[in-house]
Structure formats: C-alpha cells, structure tokens
Amino acid sequence: MNTLSKYKLWIGGAVGLLAIGIVVGAIYPRHVAGAPPGAVPDVEVVQVEQKDVPIFGEWIGTLDGFTNADVRAQVTGYLLRQGYQEGAFVKRGQLLFEIDPRPFQAALDQAQGQLAQARAQLATAVAVQGRTQLDVERYTPLAKEQAASQQDLDNAVQNNLAAKASVETAQALIRTDEAAVETAKINLDFTRLVSPIDGIAGQAQLQVGALVNLSSGPVTSVSTVDPIKVYFTVGEPQYLAWRKRFPTETTRLEADKRLRLELILADGSTYAHEGTFYFADRQVNESTGAIRIAGLFPNPGSILRPGGYGKVRAAIRLQQDALVVPQRAVSELQGGYQVAAVDEKNKVSIRSVNVGDRVGNQWIIAEGLKPGDRVIAEGVQKVRPGMQVNPKPFAVETTGR
C-alpha cells in the first residue's frame, strides 16, 4: 500500500471516530460542574414556633426639656456682666446677667426720700389734728355753759375735720410713696437676670454692653433636662384602639402607668433607661390625623439634650399563640409571601402565607402554616418543589424586638 493510500485511510478513520463521538455525546450529555447527579442538597430548617409575642409600635421622637424658661429683660439698660458659663448647669436664682443698676438704685433712693417726706407730713398732720381735737373738746362744754360762743365751737370742729382730712391725705401719700419704693426695688431686682429654674443654661443671645429692654428677645434660655421629655405622634386609629382596650378611667390610668417606652438614639444605640407615659395632647392634629404624646425619660448626667431626635418604641399589645418564623425563611414575590416547607419525607413544597406583624427578625404568620411545620431558613435558593433535601437545624439568630 503506498503512502497516499495510508494517508487516506487515516483520515477516514479519524472522521469516523469523530462521528461516533458526536453521536455518543448527543445520546449521553455530560453533566455541568456542580453537585453530582442525584445528590441531595443540604438545607437549614426551623420549626414553626407558637408563643405569645409582644407587638411593638415605633414612632419618631423629638427631645425637649421638661421645663424651658426664656430669660428676658424686664427693664431697659445696658448689660454690665455675664455671670454664668454657657452650657453649664445653673441653680434657681443664680445670676446669669446683670444690667447696670445705677439708674435704678438712684430711682429707689429718690422714692425712699419721698416716702420719708410723706411720713414727716403725716406726723405734722397728726399733730395738728391732735391740737384741733383738743380745741373741740375744750369748746364743747364751754359752749354749753355759754362761756364760749357757738362760733368758736364751730370753728374748732371745722378745723378738726380739716386736720383729719390732712391726716388721711398724708396717709394716702405714704401708701403711694410706699408703692413707688416697692416698684423701684422690683426694677432694681430686675437688673439681676437670674435663672428661674434648675437646669442647663444655653448660649447667650446678647453680649455684655448690649442695650436690652422689654421688647428684646431672650438673653438666654434654661432647660430642665432630668427628666427629659420626648414628643412623638401616634395615628388616631392606633390611639383609639389603645383607648378602647381600657374603656374606664381607672383601667386607662393603670395601663398608662404600666406602659414602658424605649428610646433608640440617633447613633442606633438603645438608651439605657426606660421611659414612662406622661400625657396625650388635648386634640388631634387636623392636618395629619395624629395625636401628640409625651414620654418622660430619666437623664442622669444630662446626656440627652433638647432638640435631639430618636425612635420611641413600646409594646402596645400581646398577641397570644402567634406563629413565628425567621424573616429569612419568608420570600416576597409579586406582593405575596411564600415559604419553602419540608414534609416528613424531607420533600420540599412551596406554600403561600399571609404575614402579620414583623417582630425583630421574625415574621408572625397569620395563615398558611401550623405549629411544628418545618420551613427552610437557609438554602431556599437551592431547592424547587418536590425536591428531596437533607434538612439540618437552623442556627437561630439572636431575636431582637
């Protein structure tokens, strides 16, 4: 056989082997990389738990001082000095600012001088009235015995009446001057702008040397921050539902007293102290349909300050015999919810469920499951209906509220 014939034979054999390979590959396709055919995937499952679950409400809260006092000038004058450190704790009656007291001290001295003069006038009037009274007493028996004329007696009586009027006038003038002295003292006291409450003093709005008067704004403000108020708004339906659960005044007051509030701070941390219900506003806001609620939180160390924000949470009711599963076991699909359940033969079925409230990292299941059912919490993406799985216990996450 020559070389050409051998070459043709080899080519023909190679073509034949290639054709056989194509046919075999079409009949027996290779498996893709991954789990070998027939392998059972591992999944983590959790049993549906039935228990009493507290249902929490959550609202945006605004911090405010328990008492806020604006310190304003009550007299006109120049600020002479500042007597406090901004942002520091001040006591009731502590000096914050002083207005130049000299004009008001002069006005007090003048009023006291006028009062002294009025008292001297009263003493003179009393002396005159005493003398005229003696004249009346002397002329009365003499006139009866005709030892003195009736005209003398009448003059003595009239002089006595005039003297009495002078005494009353002097007494009235004294009361007027006493009021002027008291007003001058009050105005002098007003030159000392003191804190009306114990609390944290704010930034000075006016500086030393500024002219202040009744129309000036607050010189500074002081807030009592321990305890501190937290305001939040609750929808009217939620508020009415709470009140309907406690229809009488006694039960309502007791429920309000037992209510405990939690505060989530702006950094995401939970405030260490629980708060209590303080009051509900007298009316519902017409534009928002919500009612304003105030809670009180202890604030040792004055960590919380007015104007801050946080989230207020409270257990508003207890749902008994609730069915709960981890949130990661529930999938949302086109507005509905479903879970992958595993039966006693470890086969997967997809069930539609109706969910209730979300509690921490768990869902409350209203319909679709029963106590003891097993649902897949880890590995849902690896299964399909009817698939056999190898269930393992789910590593339960720490349950939050």
Side-chain angles (χ1 to χ4, degrees), residues 41-48 325-331 338-343 346-351 369 373-394:
D42 292 336
V43 294
E44 294 183 15
V45 299
V46 62
Q47 279 194 338
V48 177
V325 298
Q327 288 185 20
R328 62 190 308 154
V330 181
S331 302
Q338 62 184 22
V339 297
V342 178
D343 62 15
N346 295 335
K347 287 189 176 182
V348 177
S349 63
I350 304 300
R351 300 187 191 178
L369 294 174
D373 283 347
R374 295 185 300 170
V375 296
I376 299 176
E378 187 67 42
V380 178
Q381 68 279 3
K382 298 187 296 185
V383 302
R384 62 179 183 272
M387 177 180 286
Q388 192 85 16
V389 294
N390 180 27
K392 295 182 179 180
F394 173 61

Side-chain angles (χ1 to χ4, degrees), residues 26-182:
I27 298 175
Y28 302 101
R30 291 186 300 170
H31 295 285
V32 296
V40 177
D42 292 336
V43 294
E44 294 183 15
V45 299
V46 62
Q47 279 194 338
V48 177
E49 187 179 3
Q50 187 173 34
K51 61 181 180 179
D52 295 343
V53 178
I55 304 302
F56 282 78
E58 187 173 284
W59 312 273
I60 298 298
T62 305
L63 280 64
D64 196 9
F66 182 74
T67 304
N68 301 304
D70 288 337
V71 180
R72 298 173 181 267
Q74 300 297 312
V75 293
T76 300
Y78 290 95
L79 293 179
L80 193 63
R81 68 186 180 98
Q82 180 176 330
Y84 80 104
Q85 181 179 353
E86 295 167 307
F89 181 82
V90 295
K91 289 283 190 179
R92 179 178 180 181
Q94 180 176 335
L95 178 68
L96 302 180
F97 282 93
E98 184 179 14
I99 298 173
D100 187 356
R102 291 174 298 176
F104 304 96
Q105 183 64 56
L108 175 60
D109 294 341
Q110 182 180 7
Q112 289 174 334
Q114 291 174 347
L115 176 60
Q117 185 178 2
R119 285 172 176 169
Q121 291 174 355
L122 174 62
T124 301
V126 169
V128 171
Q129 193 271 332
R131 187 181 70 250
T132 57
Q133 182 66 33
L134 291 175
D135 291 341
V136 171
E137 292 173 355
R138 185 174 67 252
Y139 280 116
T140 298
L142 293 177
K144 287 181 180 180
E145 297 175 0
Q146 296 183 350
S149 66
Q150 184 64 37
Q151 182 66 41
D152 292 336
L153 176 60
D154 292 341
N155 290 337
V157 170
Q158 293 299 321
N159 291 336
N160 187 40
L161 292 176
K164 287 181 178 180
S166 297
V167 169
E168 292 178 356
T169 300
Q171 289 174 340
L173 183 61
I174 286 177
R175 288 192 293 270
T176 300
D177 290 340
E178 285 176 342
V181 169
E182 185 64 24

Side-chain angles (χ1 to χ4, degrees), residues 54-383:
I55 304 302
F56 282 78
E58 187 173 284
W59 312 273
I60 298 298
T62 305
L63 280 64
D64 196 9
F66 182 74
T67 304
N68 301 304
D70 288 337
V71 180
R72 298 173 181 267
Q74 300 297 312
V75 293
T76 300
Y78 290 95
L79 293 179
L80 193 63
R81 68 186 180 98
Q82 180 176 330
Y84 80 104
Q85 181 179 353
E86 295 167 307
F89 181 82
V90 295
K91 289 283 190 179
R92 179 178 180 181
Q94 180 176 335
L95 178 68
L96 302 180
F97 282 93
E98 184 179 14
I99 298 173
D100 187 356
R102 291 174 298 176
F104 304 96
Q105 183 64 56
L108 175 60
D109 294 341
Q110 182 180 7
Q112 289 174 334
Q114 291 174 347
L115 176 60
Q117 185 178 2
R119 285 172 176 169
Q121 291 174 355
L122 174 62
T124 301
V126 169
V128 171
Q129 193 271 332
R131 187 181 70 250
T132 57
Q133 182 66 33
L134 291 175
D135 291 341
V136 171
E137 292 173 355
R138 185 174 67 252
Y139 280 116
T140 298
L142 293 177
K144 287 181 180 180
E145 297 175 0
Q146 296 183 350
S149 66
Q150 184 64 37
Q151 182 66 41
D152 292 336
L153 176 60
D154 292 341
N155 290 337
V157 170
Q158 293 299 321
N159 291 336
N160 187 40
L161 292 176
K164 287 181 178 180
S166 297
V167 169
E168 292 178 356
T169 300
Q171 289 174 340
L173 183 61
I174 286 177
R175 288 192 293 270
T176 300
D177 290 340
E178 285 176 342
V181 169
E182 185 64 24
T183 300
K185 286 181 177 179
I186 292 173
N187 288 337
L188 181 60
D189 289 340
F190 279 155
T191 61
R192 293 175 53 85
L193 303 182
V194 300
S195 174
I197 58 175
D198 294 345
I200 303 295
Q203 179 182 355
Q205 302 301 312
L206 295 173
Q207 302 301 317
V208 172
L211 179 65
V212 294
N213 52 47
L214 292 174
S215 61
S216 301
V219 180
T220 189
S221 299
V222 182
S223 295
T224 300
V225 296
D226 187 16
I228 193 168
K229 285 180 187 175
V230 179
Y231 289 107
F232 57 98
T233 54
V234 175
E236 186 178 5
Q238 194 173 35
Y239 174 78
L240 292 176
W242 172 264
R243 288 306 185 214
K244 287 178 181 178
R245 290 172 55 199
F246 309 102
T248 66
E249 183 74 9
T250 302
T251 58
R252 181 180 63 81
L253 292 176
E254 187 63 28
D256 291 343
K257 188 185 300 183
R258 292 196 310 266
L259 187 62
R260 291 294 176 266
L261 306 177
E262 293 181 354
L263 181 63
I264 311 301
L265 302 179
D267 61 358
S269 63
T270 301
Y271 187 55
H273 303 279
E274 288 186 334
T276 56
F277 173 86
Y278 187 49
F279 74 86
D281 201 359
R282 68 177 184 86
Q283 68 177 23
V284 176
N285 189 303
E286 296 179 357
S287 60
T288 63
I291 188 169
R292 198 182 198 198
I293 307 293
L296 286 184
F297 284 82
N299 190 23
S302 304
I303 297 174
L304 305 180
R305 296 297 177 99
Y309 285 89
K311 292 182 181 179
V312 179
R313 290 196 306 194
I316 55 178
R317 63 185 174 89
L318 181 67
Q319 184 163 337
Q320 298 179 339
D321 299 328
L323 301 179
V324 294
V325 298
Q327 288 185 20
R328 62 190 308 154
V330 181
S331 302
E332 185 176 1
L333 183 64
Q334 296 180 350
Y337 296 88
Q338 62 184 22
V339 297
V342 178
D343 62 15
E344 64 278 1
K345 295 181 180 180
N346 295 335
K347 287 189 176 182
V348 177
S349 63
I350 304 300
R351 300 187 191 178
S352 295
V353 295
N354 293 332
V355 298
D357 292 292
R358 180 180 295 180
V359 183
N361 58 5
Q362 293 183 318
W363 272 115
I364 293 179
I365 303 300
E367 292 181 359
L369 294 174
K370 62 182 183 297
D373 283 347
R374 295 185 300 170
V375 296
I376 299 176
E378 187 67 42
V380 178
Q381 68 279 3
K382 298 187 296 185
V383 302

